[in-house]
mmCIF file of all heavy atoms in Angstrom:
data_model
loop_
_atom_site.group_PDB
_atom_site.id
_atom_site.type_symbol
_atom_site.label_atom_id
_atom_site.label_comp_id
_atom_site.label_asym_id
_atom_site.label_seq_id
_atom_site.Cartn_x
_atom_site.Cartn_y
_atom_site.Cartn_z
ATOM 1 N N GLU Y 501 -4.759 26.220 19.905
ATOM 2 C CA GLU Y 501 -3.308 26.437 20.290
ATOM 3 C C GLU Y 501 -2.823 25.416 21.185
ATOM 4 O O GLU Y 501 -3.478 24.992 22.142
ATOM 5 C CB GLU Y 501 -3.295 27.879 20.843
ATOM 6 C CG GLU Y 501 -1.828 28.303 21.250
ATOM 7 C CD GLU Y 501 -1.848 29.724 21.782
ATOM 8 O OE1 GLU Y 501 -2.818 30.460 21.573
ATOM 9 O OE2 GLU Y 501 -0.740 29.970 22.367
ATOM 10 N N TRP Y 502 -1.743 24.943 20.900
ATOM 11 C CA TRP Y 502 -0.763 24.072 21.770
ATOM 12 C C TRP Y 502 0.497 24.652 22.046
ATOM 13 O O TRP Y 502 0.986 25.296 21.015
ATOM 14 C CB TRP Y 502 -0.718 22.656 21.152
ATOM 15 C CG TRP Y 502 -1.904 21.778 20.992
ATOM 16 C CD1 TRP Y 502 -2.809 21.875 20.034
ATOM 17 C CD2 TRP Y 502 -2.206 20.655 21.782
ATOM 18 N NE1 TRP Y 502 -3.871 20.934 20.279
ATOM 19 C CE2 TRP Y 502 -3.439 20.145 21.248
ATOM 20 C CE3 TRP Y 502 -1.576 20.048 22.867
ATOM 21 C CZ2 TRP Y 502 -4.074 19.138 21.687
ATOM 22 C CZ3 TRP Y 502 -2.286 18.898 23.426
ATOM 23 C CH2 TRP Y 502 -3.448 18.463 22.856
ATOM 24 N N VAL Y 503 1.164 24.442 23.137
ATOM 25 C CA VAL Y 503 2.483 24.802 23.411
ATOM 26 C C VAL Y 503 3.202 23.402 23.635
ATOM 27 O O VAL Y 503 2.813 22.714 24.471
ATOM 28 C CB VAL Y 503 2.666 25.622 24.653
ATOM 29 C CG1 VAL Y 503 4.156 25.747 25.039
ATOM 30 C CG2 VAL Y 503 2.091 27.036 24.411
ATOM 31 N N VAL Y 504 4.290 23.243 22.842
ATOM 32 C CA VAL Y 504 5.029 22.058 23.001
ATOM 33 C C VAL Y 504 6.492 22.186 23.383
ATOM 34 O O VAL Y 504 7.176 23.055 23.035
ATOM 35 C CB VAL Y 504 5.062 21.305 21.457
ATOM 36 C CG1 VAL Y 504 5.831 19.846 21.659
ATOM 37 C CG2 VAL Y 504 3.861 21.221 20.834
ATOM 38 N N GLN Y 505 6.924 21.471 24.430
ATOM 39 C CA GLN Y 505 8.282 21.525 24.915
ATOM 40 C C GLN Y 505 8.854 20.141 24.756
ATOM 41 O O GLN Y 505 8.237 19.195 25.166
ATOM 42 C CB GLN Y 505 8.226 21.894 26.392
ATOM 43 C CG GLN Y 505 7.532 23.271 26.646
ATOM 44 C CD GLN Y 505 7.602 23.640 28.201
ATOM 45 O OE1 GLN Y 505 7.150 22.876 28.908
ATOM 46 N NE2 GLN Y 505 7.918 24.928 28.593
ATOM 47 N N ALA Y 506 10.070 20.104 24.356
ATOM 48 C CA ALA Y 506 10.664 18.802 24.107
ATOM 49 C C ALA Y 506 12.054 18.804 24.525
ATOM 50 O O ALA Y 506 12.886 19.858 24.499
ATOM 51 C CB ALA Y 506 10.740 18.539 22.516
ATOM 52 N N ILE Y 507 12.508 17.650 25.147
ATOM 53 C CA ILE Y 507 13.963 17.481 25.540
ATOM 54 C C ILE Y 507 14.715 16.333 24.835
ATOM 55 O O ILE Y 507 14.070 15.327 24.632
ATOM 56 C CB ILE Y 507 13.887 17.175 26.996
ATOM 57 C CG1 ILE Y 507 13.209 18.235 27.946
ATOM 58 C CG2 ILE Y 507 15.472 17.007 27.496
ATOM 59 C CD1 ILE Y 507 13.134 17.757 29.442
ATOM 60 N N GLY Y 508 15.893 16.620 24.268
ATOM 61 C CA GLY Y 508 16.671 15.575 23.685
ATOM 62 C C GLY Y 508 17.945 15.450 24.427
ATOM 63 O O GLY Y 508 18.525 16.400 24.975
ATOM 64 N N THR Y 509 18.334 14.098 24.693
ATOM 65 C CA THR Y 509 19.540 13.721 25.517
ATOM 66 C C THR Y 509 20.562 13.103 24.583
ATOM 67 O O THR Y 509 20.181 12.093 23.899
ATOM 68 C CB THR Y 509 19.073 12.831 26.625
ATOM 69 O OG1 THR Y 509 18.145 13.509 27.428
ATOM 70 C CG2 THR Y 509 20.427 12.636 27.545
ATOM 71 N N ALA Y 510 21.706 13.548 24.544
ATOM 72 C CA ALA Y 510 22.898 13.059 23.804
ATOM 73 C C ALA Y 510 23.400 11.786 24.461
ATOM 74 O O ALA Y 510 23.055 11.520 25.677
ATOM 75 C CB ALA Y 510 23.945 14.120 23.488
ATOM 76 N N GLN Y 511 24.325 11.139 23.872
ATOM 77 C CA GLN Y 511 24.969 9.906 24.559
ATOM 78 C C GLN Y 511 25.679 10.229 25.721
ATOM 79 O O GLN Y 511 25.683 9.390 26.667
ATOM 80 C CB GLN Y 511 25.738 9.167 23.537
ATOM 81 C CG GLN Y 511 25.010 8.506 22.275
ATOM 82 C CD GLN Y 511 25.875 7.725 21.398
ATOM 83 O OE1 GLN Y 511 27.120 7.803 21.507
ATOM 84 N NE2 GLN Y 511 25.189 6.890 20.558
ATOM 85 N N ASP Y 512 26.322 11.374 25.908
ATOM 86 C CA ASP Y 512 27.071 11.699 27.064
ATOM 87 C C ASP Y 512 26.331 12.331 28.055
ATOM 88 O O ASP Y 512 26.710 12.831 29.206
ATOM 89 C CB ASP Y 512 28.271 12.562 26.682
ATOM 90 C CG ASP Y 512 27.840 13.925 26.103
ATOM 91 O OD1 ASP Y 512 26.614 14.135 25.907
ATOM 92 O OD2 ASP Y 512 28.676 14.781 25.898
ATOM 93 N N GLY Y 513 24.992 12.328 27.889
ATOM 94 C CA GLY Y 513 24.019 12.852 28.905
ATOM 95 C C GLY Y 513 23.816 14.462 28.743
ATOM 96 O O GLY Y 513 22.989 14.838 29.622
ATOM 97 N N MET Y 514 24.435 15.023 27.788
ATOM 98 C CA MET Y 514 24.150 16.411 27.612
ATOM 99 C C MET Y 514 22.575 16.690 26.957
ATOM 100 O O MET Y 514 22.319 15.819 26.099
ATOM 101 C CB MET Y 514 25.129 17.058 26.570
ATOM 102 C CG MET Y 514 24.905 18.656 26.285
ATOM 103 S SD MET Y 514 25.502 19.541 27.581
ATOM 104 C CE MET Y 514 27.218 19.361 27.385
ATOM 105 N N ARG Y 515 21.912 17.589 27.490
ATOM 106 C CA ARG Y 515 20.549 17.743 27.138
ATOM 107 C C ARG Y 515 20.287 19.078 26.424
ATOM 108 O O ARG Y 515 20.995 20.068 26.733
ATOM 109 C CB ARG Y 515 19.543 17.652 28.422
ATOM 110 C CG ARG Y 515 19.581 16.235 29.116
ATOM 111 C CD ARG Y 515 18.620 16.197 30.106
ATOM 112 N NE ARG Y 515 18.377 17.249 31.088
ATOM 113 C CZ ARG Y 515 17.356 17.458 31.777
ATOM 114 N NH1 ARG Y 515 16.304 16.681 31.799
ATOM 115 N NH2 ARG Y 515 17.345 18.513 32.626
ATOM 116 N N GLY Y 516 19.365 19.041 25.623
ATOM 117 C CA GLY Y 516 18.958 20.267 24.927
ATOM 118 C C GLY Y 516 17.348 20.334 24.919
ATOM 119 O O GLY Y 516 16.736 19.319 24.810
ATOM 120 N N ALA Y 517 16.802 21.544 25.015
ATOM 121 C CA ALA Y 517 15.454 21.512 25.067
ATOM 122 C C ALA Y 517 14.918 22.758 24.187
ATOM 123 O O ALA Y 517 15.560 23.849 24.151
ATOM 124 C CB ALA Y 517 14.965 21.785 26.443
ATOM 125 N N VAL Y 518 13.743 22.435 23.516
ATOM 126 C CA VAL Y 518 13.219 23.572 22.699
ATOM 127 C C VAL Y 518 11.750 23.741 22.993
ATOM 128 O O VAL Y 518 11.090 22.715 23.509
ATOM 129 C CB VAL Y 518 13.455 23.261 21.230
ATOM 130 C CG1 VAL Y 518 14.859 23.560 20.802
ATOM 131 C CG2 VAL Y 518 12.936 21.877 20.782
ATOM 132 N N GLN Y 519 11.106 24.755 22.582
ATOM 133 C CA GLN Y 519 9.650 25.106 22.800
ATOM 134 C C GLN Y 519 9.180 25.619 21.362
ATOM 135 O O GLN Y 519 9.741 26.508 20.883
ATOM 136 C CB GLN Y 519 9.409 25.809 24.001
ATOM 137 C CG GLN Y 519 7.974 26.334 24.024
ATOM 138 C CD GLN Y 519 7.719 27.155 25.325
ATOM 139 O OE1 GLN Y 519 8.066 26.705 26.565
ATOM 140 N NE2 GLN Y 519 7.266 28.391 25.200
ATOM 141 N N GLU Y 520 7.891 25.387 21.047
ATOM 142 C CA GLU Y 520 7.253 26.018 20.051
ATOM 143 C C GLU Y 520 5.740 26.111 20.303
ATOM 144 O O GLU Y 520 5.141 25.348 21.033
ATOM 145 C CB GLU Y 520 7.431 25.368 18.569
ATOM 146 C CG GLU Y 520 6.878 23.982 18.480
ATOM 147 C CD GLU Y 520 7.153 23.327 17.278
ATOM 148 O OE1 GLU Y 520 8.091 23.791 16.462
ATOM 149 O OE2 GLU Y 520 6.556 22.283 16.973
ATOM 150 N N THR Y 521 5.061 27.065 19.572
ATOM 151 C CA THR Y 521 3.664 27.273 19.700
ATOM 152 C C THR Y 521 2.958 26.771 18.349
ATOM 153 O O THR Y 521 3.467 27.159 17.309
ATOM 154 C CB THR Y 521 3.238 28.645 19.975
ATOM 155 O OG1 THR Y 521 3.812 29.056 21.262
ATOM 156 C CG2 THR Y 521 1.747 28.936 20.112
ATOM 157 N N LEU Y 522 1.927 25.976 18.436
ATOM 158 C CA LEU Y 522 1.148 25.534 17.317
ATOM 159 C C LEU Y 522 -0.181 26.222 17.359
ATOM 160 O O LEU Y 522 -0.983 26.173 18.317
ATOM 161 C CB LEU Y 522 0.918 24.053 17.268
ATOM 162 C CG LEU Y 522 2.262 23.230 17.402
ATOM 163 C CD1 LEU Y 522 1.962 21.804 17.385
ATOM 164 C CD2 LEU Y 522 3.191 23.383 16.310
ATOM 165 N N THR Y 523 -0.606 26.831 16.180
ATOM 166 C CA THR Y 523 -1.953 27.451 16.144
ATOM 167 C C THR Y 523 -2.645 27.100 14.805
ATOM 168 O O THR Y 523 -1.977 26.661 13.945
ATOM 169 C CB THR Y 523 -1.804 29.011 16.151
ATOM 170 O OG1 THR Y 523 -0.985 29.440 15.131
ATOM 171 C CG2 THR Y 523 -1.292 29.518 17.494
ATOM 172 N N ARG Y 524 -3.897 27.065 14.908
ATOM 173 C CA ARG Y 524 -4.726 26.774 13.612
ATOM 174 C C ARG Y 524 -5.947 27.604 13.662
ATOM 175 O O ARG Y 524 -6.388 28.008 14.825
ATOM 176 C CB ARG Y 524 -5.049 25.267 13.664
ATOM 177 C CG ARG Y 524 -5.990 24.898 14.755
ATOM 178 C CD ARG Y 524 -6.343 23.329 14.595
ATOM 179 N NE ARG Y 524 -7.281 22.903 15.689
ATOM 180 C CZ ARG Y 524 -7.918 21.653 15.729
ATOM 181 N NH1 ARG Y 524 -7.515 20.780 14.785
ATOM 182 N NH2 ARG Y 524 -8.654 21.369 16.730
ATOM 183 N N THR Y 525 -6.494 27.802 12.564
ATOM 184 C CA THR Y 525 -7.722 28.536 12.344
ATOM 185 C C THR Y 525 -8.707 27.597 11.472
ATOM 186 O O THR Y 525 -8.251 26.861 10.745
ATOM 187 C CB THR Y 525 -7.569 29.872 11.732
ATOM 188 O OG1 THR Y 525 -6.859 29.733 10.311
ATOM 189 C CG2 THR Y 525 -6.610 30.725 12.601
ATOM 190 N N PRO Y 526 -9.987 27.922 11.605
ATOM 191 C CA PRO Y 526 -10.953 27.218 10.668
ATOM 192 C C PRO Y 526 -10.635 27.541 9.225
ATOM 193 O O PRO Y 526 -10.135 28.688 8.836
ATOM 194 C CB PRO Y 526 -12.323 27.843 11.089
ATOM 195 C CG PRO Y 526 -12.210 28.338 12.430
ATOM 196 C CD PRO Y 526 -10.718 28.798 12.664
ATOM 197 N N GLN Y 527 -10.612 26.435 8.430
ATOM 198 C CA GLN Y 527 -10.225 26.692 6.999
ATOM 199 C C GLN Y 527 -11.374 27.471 6.188
ATOM 200 O O GLN Y 527 -11.036 28.147 5.314
ATOM 201 C CB GLN Y 527 -10.118 25.268 6.351
ATOM 202 C CG GLN Y 527 -9.481 25.357 4.999
ATOM 203 C CD GLN Y 527 -9.000 23.995 4.563
ATOM 204 O OE1 GLN Y 527 -9.247 22.988 5.315
ATOM 205 N NE2 GLN Y 527 -8.519 23.794 3.322
ATOM 206 N N TYR Y 528 -12.572 27.416 6.720
ATOM 207 C CA TYR Y 528 -13.671 28.118 5.965
ATOM 208 C C TYR Y 528 -14.513 28.720 7.086
ATOM 209 O O TYR Y 528 -15.629 28.320 7.270
ATOM 210 C CB TYR Y 528 -14.474 27.181 5.173
ATOM 211 C CG TYR Y 528 -13.638 26.370 4.146
ATOM 212 C CD1 TYR Y 528 -13.477 25.025 4.357
ATOM 213 C CD2 TYR Y 528 -13.089 27.034 3.044
ATOM 214 C CE1 TYR Y 528 -12.760 24.307 3.277
ATOM 215 C CE2 TYR Y 528 -12.263 26.282 2.147
ATOM 216 C CZ TYR Y 528 -12.138 24.933 2.346
ATOM 217 O OH TYR Y 528 -11.309 24.251 1.452
ATOM 218 N N PRO Y 529 -14.077 29.868 7.620
ATOM 219 C CA PRO Y 529 -14.866 30.634 8.629
ATOM 220 C C PRO Y 529 -15.966 31.500 8.098
ATOM 221 O O PRO Y 529 -16.790 31.747 8.840
ATOM 222 C CB PRO Y 529 -13.714 31.443 9.434
ATOM 223 C CG PRO Y 529 -12.786 31.622 8.373
ATOM 224 C CD PRO Y 529 -12.660 30.440 7.523
ATOM 225 N N PHE Y 530 -15.897 31.678 6.885
ATOM 226 C CA PHE Y 530 -16.894 32.459 6.177
ATOM 227 C C PHE Y 530 -17.811 31.770 5.235
ATOM 228 O O PHE Y 530 -17.179 30.817 4.579
ATOM 229 C CB PHE Y 530 -16.180 33.610 5.351
ATOM 230 C CG PHE Y 530 -15.284 34.538 6.101
ATOM 231 C CD1 PHE Y 530 -14.063 34.329 6.250
ATOM 232 C CD2 PHE Y 530 -15.985 35.704 6.814
ATOM 233 C CE1 PHE Y 530 -13.200 35.197 7.014
ATOM 234 C CE2 PHE Y 530 -15.152 36.477 7.484
ATOM 235 C CZ PHE Y 530 -13.790 36.291 7.670
ATOM 236 N N ALA Y 531 -18.970 32.103 5.185
ATOM 237 C CA ALA Y 531 -19.922 31.517 4.224
ATOM 238 C C ALA Y 531 -19.413 31.983 2.865
ATOM 239 O O ALA Y 531 -19.571 31.090 1.840
ATOM 240 C CB ALA Y 531 -21.499 31.847 4.442
ATOM 241 N N LEU Y 532 -18.987 33.206 2.681
ATOM 242 C CA LEU Y 532 -18.535 33.605 1.354
ATOM 243 C C LEU Y 532 -17.497 34.764 1.720
ATOM 244 O O LEU Y 532 -17.631 35.542 2.487
ATOM 245 C CB LEU Y 532 -19.687 34.398 0.718
ATOM 246 C CG LEU Y 532 -19.327 34.930 -0.658
ATOM 247 C CD1 LEU Y 532 -18.955 33.791 -1.699
ATOM 248 C CD2 LEU Y 532 -20.674 35.643 -1.260
ATOM 249 N N PHE Y 533 -16.338 34.500 1.025
ATOM 250 C CA PHE Y 533 -15.258 35.423 1.230
ATOM 251 C C PHE Y 533 -14.648 35.905 -0.080
ATOM 252 O O PHE Y 533 -14.429 34.963 -0.931
ATOM 253 C CB PHE Y 533 -14.051 34.907 2.070
ATOM 254 C CG PHE Y 533 -12.960 35.863 2.296
ATOM 255 C CD1 PHE Y 533 -13.195 36.661 3.436
ATOM 256 C CD2 PHE Y 533 -11.903 35.984 1.579
ATOM 257 C CE1 PHE Y 533 -12.143 37.650 3.839
ATOM 258 C CE2 PHE Y 533 -10.927 36.882 1.849
ATOM 259 C CZ PHE Y 533 -10.980 37.682 2.904
ATOM 260 N N GLY Y 534 -14.613 37.155 -0.220
ATOM 261 C CA GLY Y 534 -13.999 37.805 -1.506
ATOM 262 C C GLY Y 534 -12.709 38.312 -1.199
ATOM 263 O O GLY Y 534 -12.505 39.291 -0.437
#
């Protein structure tokens, strides 16, 4: 898991910021899955 925060600045100095969470799981956690 990662948490990413980003800021963007417009030409007039106005700023906007957003945040998101990134998650991942093992692609093959099971020896056999039905």
Side-chain angles (χ1 to χ4, degrees):
E501 182 176 344
W502 290 77
V503 172
V504 186
Q505 297 177 316
I507 304 173
T509 305
Q511 290 183 348
D512 64 353
M514 183 73 73
R515 300 193 304 168
V518 289
Q519 174 180 301
E520 68 183 8
T521 300
L522 307 177
T523 56
R524 64 178 180 176
T525 57
Q527 193 168 355
Y528 304 109
F530 297 96
L532 182 63
F533 186 84

